[in-house]
């Protein structure tokens, strides 16, 4: 429930926010107001809410044309008398927070003093330090024997503050801090500290990569939903665990940040809490210079169905609001845009007295008796530990909705003239001696002038009250965090023949590789051990890919089950939703589907439970559409399968330019832990999936697989057992066609391999013999070639082609650069010609498209003849 209403608080709010419209009958209005307050006094907030809903219903019936405002006054949601008692030692927590600020600042400034080019951020953490520290001291639970741990997504530019805390906790050394943003040339046994949260680079520390803004917010939502999925399917009890996300207000401009808000509300994810650090400033300037971002976000989140807690003003303001009987403060805030608020943040107490409190007599009277220094030190809510704790406690206790806390802060808080509230503060990396001494004095740091000006790190004695408190608070919450753990039981994989015999021994039966995959997936899901851990994911394309038969077999996950009788209830392929459903049907949201996939693909580390996600999608809407999210999943060391169905530029005949994929394998090749395959046959695909499952679930390697599939039916050959190893390495000899001394070597993959085989037959009719190689992965061949050349060994592709002769013709359904990636690794002296689908796609038949791009059988044969000199 929302924070309880308090009558005196309501009366104060009413006084603060008079109606902007002229009132023709003030007496009657006063009667209505008093009647409502009397109702609250007599019957409580639930009755008051009922009456408001009833009045709104009547207004709609009468077509009054009114609806309630989604924004509230620019004050704290939680009234002073509703705040719980602060459970910690306020003085110690403030001292600890100051030490975190200092060590974070020193880390960034030292690195840039030494090198001047490493970058880093001081101002973001300066604004968020207290938001982080209250979480660390009271709310963020780590995994231990009692609790499986909360998930915390940290604002990336605040990483130095997290390192600063880890230093005090003894997890990082002073030498480590001296190697901030230096991960290559590291000496003295130190470890380099990465710029932002990167699990790949610090695999025992960071859990979630958030450096690409917008990815963290959407990922946090789908992680929270995946925890419900695990609980509802009785795979893991995730009750009592929270997902916390600390994000920036400027980050809310990212489409990914906003795209799943309604899903979080629809799923009633009360295990999700966002803290939006509203320091009002992006990298270049104000987030909403001519408006108020907190008001905007309040409307957006409330409209999406979230519980909104505004944390605007610190405790120092409570007395001012209490004395402000006329509502002058709230009116002044309502008229102050964020650009001006930043100016107030950058200026001193005297300026604020003159330009804010000096706006009218009522405000001036409120500031009487306050010194300029006291005015300067008036805190925004996001810098007040007591207020933050109250907001966090309310969010943690709220049920039935996700919660967002909109915390008002100052960017560069405490940096004074060096950066507080200034346009340039995001890029502030260095401070001069005077600025460092001012920072020390501002936070009462126990540093000498020399220690401050030389940017010395500071750690209290182990037996000090501060260090004992720090240790005790984290012990009570399960230990240090962030902390990434990878302990996970292996998951047995059934024998290949038990689920894919139809594919590896197809005996010429016609099928598409897409349909072969779906059949194989259905068989795998029947396995008693592996089956329940499989997570099929689609973005509203299950029927397109022939997966509708799985609807009844395993069901579509729904947190509320199925409350309707589907239109096709009598069909064997009817749409079945269930609370224990296994398929994640994400609707038309590739960003949501990949976020779901990432949550499942990292379950082994996040939850200690291995899951195996298969996300199947139109291939053009993978790496092109959500490539940044896939890269973040790679950083998070995901394990799972991405299936690019209807792959290639000529397979999707009539769909045209924006559906036809010609470059995904080029992009996939850039991700080091992504193994990308373009198999031509169902048996090849089955061998690859089997190997991938064993690599990820049994060997527990941090890789994921991208496999392209096709919707074209053609005869499927058997795959001989002795070809399996070569299939995984990237290519194998498929056949030799024709006789004679004039020979060529033909290489092909995926959708175009059948055209390569046709070309071999055309060449044989002309007396030209062909050695035909099926390439399952150009990128694996290229990676092997680079590794072999570095070690002086023979590249695998060169050894494979050594038994062939003549010019090499390579054809794919992708841009030529895909096949070109192996050119440097071929046997010396062999001419190499690549054919591909460069350019934009078109709508037409497969045959016409292949002729147009020059990758049909006739074009391949023509290229071979030309290479022979014909």
């Amino acid at each position: 429930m929302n924070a309880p209403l308090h009558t005196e608080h309501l009366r104060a709010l009413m006084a603060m926010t008079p109606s902007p419209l002229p009132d023709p009958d003030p007496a009657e209005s006063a009667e209505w107001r008093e009647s409502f307050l009397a109702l609250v006094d007599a019957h409580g907030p639930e009755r008051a809410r009922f009456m408001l809903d009833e009045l709104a219903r009547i207004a709609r019936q009468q077509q009054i044309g009114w609806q309630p405002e989604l924004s509230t006054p620019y004050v704290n949601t939680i009234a002073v008398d509703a705040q719980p008692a602060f459970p910690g030692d306020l003085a110690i927590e403030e001292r600890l927070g100051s030490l975190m600020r200092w060590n974070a600042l020193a880390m960034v400034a030292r690195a840039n003093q030494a090198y001047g080019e490493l970058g880093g951020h001081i101002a973001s953490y300066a604004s968020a330090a207290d938001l982080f520290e209250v979480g660390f001291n009271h709310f963020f639970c780590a995994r231990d024997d009692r609790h499986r741990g909360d998930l915390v997504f940290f604002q990336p530019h605040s990483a130095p503050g997290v390192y600063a805390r880890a230093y005090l906790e003894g997890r990082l050394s002073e030498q480590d801090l001296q190697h901030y943003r230096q991960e290559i040339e590291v000496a003295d046994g130190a470890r380099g500290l990465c710029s932002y949260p990167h699990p790949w680079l610090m695999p025992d520390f960071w859990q979630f990569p958030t450096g690409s803004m917008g990815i963290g917010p959407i990922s946090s939502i789908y992680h929270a939903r995946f925890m419900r999925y695990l609980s509802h399917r009785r795979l893991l009890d995730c009750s009592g665990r929270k997902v916390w996300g600390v994000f920036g207000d400027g980050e809310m401009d990212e489409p990914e940040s906003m795209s799943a808000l309604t899903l979080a509300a629809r799923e009633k994810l009360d295990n999700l809490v966002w803290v939006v650090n509203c320091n009002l400033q992006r990298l270049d300037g104000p987030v909403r210079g001519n408006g108020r971002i907190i008001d905007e976000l309040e409307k957006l989140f409330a409209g999406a169905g979230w519980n909104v807690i505004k944390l605007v003003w610190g405790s120092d303001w409570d007395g001012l609001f209490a004395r402000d009987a006329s509502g002058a403060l709230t009116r002044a805030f309502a008229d102050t845009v964020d650009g001006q608020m930043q100016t107030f943040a950058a200026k001193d107490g005297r300026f604020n007295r003159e330009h804010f409190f000096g706006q009218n007599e009522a405000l001036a009277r409120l500031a009487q008796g306050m010194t300029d220094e006291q005015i300067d030190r008036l805190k925004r809510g996001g810098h007040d530990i007591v207020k933050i704790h109250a907001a966090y406690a309310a969010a943690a206790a709220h049920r039935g909705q996700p919660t967002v806390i909109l915390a008002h802060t100052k960017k560069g808080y405490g940096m004074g003239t060096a950066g507080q509230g200034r346009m340039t503060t995001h890029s502030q990396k260095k401070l001069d001696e005077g600025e460092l001494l001012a920072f020390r004095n501002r936070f009462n740091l126990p540093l000498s002038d020399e220690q401050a000006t030389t940017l010395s790190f500071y750690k209290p004695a182990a037996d000090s009250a501060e260090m004992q408190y720090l240790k005790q608070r984290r012990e009570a919450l399960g230990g240090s965090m962030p902390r990434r753990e990878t302990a996970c039981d292996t998951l047995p994989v059934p024998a290949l023949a038990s689920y894919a015999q139809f594919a590896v021994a197809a005996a010429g039966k016609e099928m598409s590789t897409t349909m072969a995959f779906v059949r194989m997936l259905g068989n795998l899901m029947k396995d008693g051990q592996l089956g329940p851990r499989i997570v099929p994911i689609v973005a509203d394309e299950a029927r397109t890919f022939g997966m509708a038969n799985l609807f009844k077999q395993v069901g579509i996950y729904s947190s509320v089950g199925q409350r309707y009788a589907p239109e096709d209830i009598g069909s064997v392929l009817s749409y079945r939703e269930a609370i224990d459903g296994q398929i994640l049907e994400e609707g038309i949201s590739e960003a949501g589907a990949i976020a779901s996939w990432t949550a499942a693909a990292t379950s082994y580390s996040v939850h200690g439970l291995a899951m195996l996600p298969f996300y199947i999608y139109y291939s053009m809407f993978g790496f092109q559409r959500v490539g940044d999210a896939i890269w973040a999943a790679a950083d998070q060391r995901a394990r799972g399968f991405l299936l690019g169905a209807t792959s290639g530029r000529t397979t999707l005949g009539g769909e045209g330019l924006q559906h036809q994929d010609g470059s995904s394998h080029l992009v996939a090749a850039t991700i080091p832990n992504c193994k990308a395959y373009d198999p031509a046959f169902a048996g090849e695909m089955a061998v690859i999936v089997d190997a991938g499952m064993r690599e990820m679930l049994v060997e527990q390697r941090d890789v994921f697989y991208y496999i392209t599939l096709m919707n074209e039916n053609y005869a499927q050959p058997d795959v001989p057992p002795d070809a399996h190893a070569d299939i995984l390495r990237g290519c194998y000899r498929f056949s030799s066609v024709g006789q004679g001394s004039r020979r060529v070597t033909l290489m092909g993959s995926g959708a175009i391999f059948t055209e390569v085989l046709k070309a071999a037959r055309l060449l044989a009719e002309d007396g030209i013999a062909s050695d035909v190689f099926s390439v399952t992965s150009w990128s694996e061949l290229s990676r092997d070639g680079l590794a072999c050349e570095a070690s002086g060994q023979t590249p695998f592709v060169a050894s494979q082609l050594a038994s062939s002769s003549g010019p090499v013709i390579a054809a794919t359904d992708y841009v030529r650069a895909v096949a070109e990636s192996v050119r440097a690794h071929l046997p010396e002296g062999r001419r190499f010609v690549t054919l591909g689908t460069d350019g934009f796609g078109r709508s037409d038949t497969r045959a016409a498209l292949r002729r147009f791009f020059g990758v049909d059988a006739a074009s391949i044969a023509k290229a071979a003849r030309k290479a022979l000199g014909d």
Side-chain angles (χ1 to χ4, degrees), residues 89 96 435 570 592 763 852:
D89 188 313
L96 282 170
E435 291 164 342
L763 291 169
F852 174 81

Side-chain angles (χ1 to χ4, degrees), residues 475-640:
E475 285 180 349
L477 292 169
S480 297
M481 68 180 317
R483 186 175 75 226
R484 183 177 178 274
E485 301 180 54
T486 58
C488 178
D489 291 339
T490 61
L491 192 59
V493 176
L496 177 63
S498 69
Y499 61 88
Q501 185 67 15
F502 73 93
V504 294
K509 183 178 180 180
E510 288 198 356
M511 69 182 89
S512 69
T513 54
T514 298
M515 290 310 301
F517 164 74
V518 173
R519 180 177 173 184
M520 192 170 71
L521 181 65
N523 291 342
L524 282 169
M525 294 175 76
K526 295 173 184 175
D527 182 79
Q529 290 182 285
L530 177 61
R533 304 290 188 90
I534 290 175
V535 186
I537 302 172
V538 290
D540 205 44
E541 293 284 2
R543 295 186 192 276
T544 304
F545 306 136
M547 296 176 66
N549 63 306
L550 297 179
F551 292 169
K552 274 199 170 181
Q553 179 181 329
V554 297
I556 299 162
Y557 172 68
S558 165
S559 61
V560 296
Q562 191 162 35
R563 296 177 174 178
Y564 61 93
E567 170 274 328
D568 58 354
I569 194 169
S571 166
V572 294
L573 303 179
S574 64
Y575 199 81
R576 184 175 77 86
E577 298 186 76
I579 197 167
D580 62 348
Q582 197 161 349
I583 300 169
L584 290 176
E585 162 59 90
E586 301 299 5
I588 305 175
S589 173
E590 288 84 5
I594 196 65
S596 259
W597 180 84
T598 302
T602 57
S603 177
Y604 75 94
S605 64
V606 175
H607 306 294
L609 181 75
M611 301 294 287
L612 185 65
F614 290 86
Y615 172 28
I616 184 170
Y617 55 83
Y618 259 126
S619 58
M620 189 62 168
F621 304 132
F623 282 87
Q624 292 83 351
R625 188 69 177 263
V626 289
D628 192 20
I630 295 174
W631 185 264
D635 191 350
Q636 201 173 328
R637 308 175 85 100
R639 300 173 183 172

Side-chain angles (χ1 to χ4, degrees), residues 179-247:
H179 288 87
Y180 171 63
R181 292 197 172 197
Q182 300 161 68
E183 300 170 85
I184 298 175
E185 296 183 3
V186 182
D188 304 323
R191 66 186 299 180
L193 303 182
C194 51
S195 54
Y196 305 121
H198 291 306
W200 188 267
L201 298 172
M202 295 180 67
D204 61 339
F205 194 91
W206 293 113
Q207 271 193 307
F208 306 108
T210 55
S212 184
M213 289 190 287
I215 301 297
I218 190 172
S219 185
S220 71
I221 291 174
Y222 280 89
H223 270 282
R225 201 277 297 268
F226 188 70
M227 288 164 67
R228 290 287 174 84
Y229 172 88
L230 292 175
S231 294
H232 286 158
R233 293 194 55 224
R234 300 180 181 177
L235 295 170
L236 188 70
D237 182 6
C238 294
S239 60
R241 300 171 67 194
K242 292 284 187 184
V243 178
W244 297 84
V246 184
F247 308 118

Side-chain angles (χ1 to χ4, degrees), residues 48 77 110 125 127 205 236 251 349 373 422 476 481 483 530 563 566 587 593 643 645 769 773 788 811:
T77 300
R110 284 172 68 117
Y125 178 69
S127 67
F205 194 91
L236 188 70
E251 188 173 5
E373 183 179 1
R422 296 186 179 276
M481 68 180 317
R483 186 175 75 226
L530 177 61
R563 296 177 174 178
L643 291 307
F773 290 82
C788 287

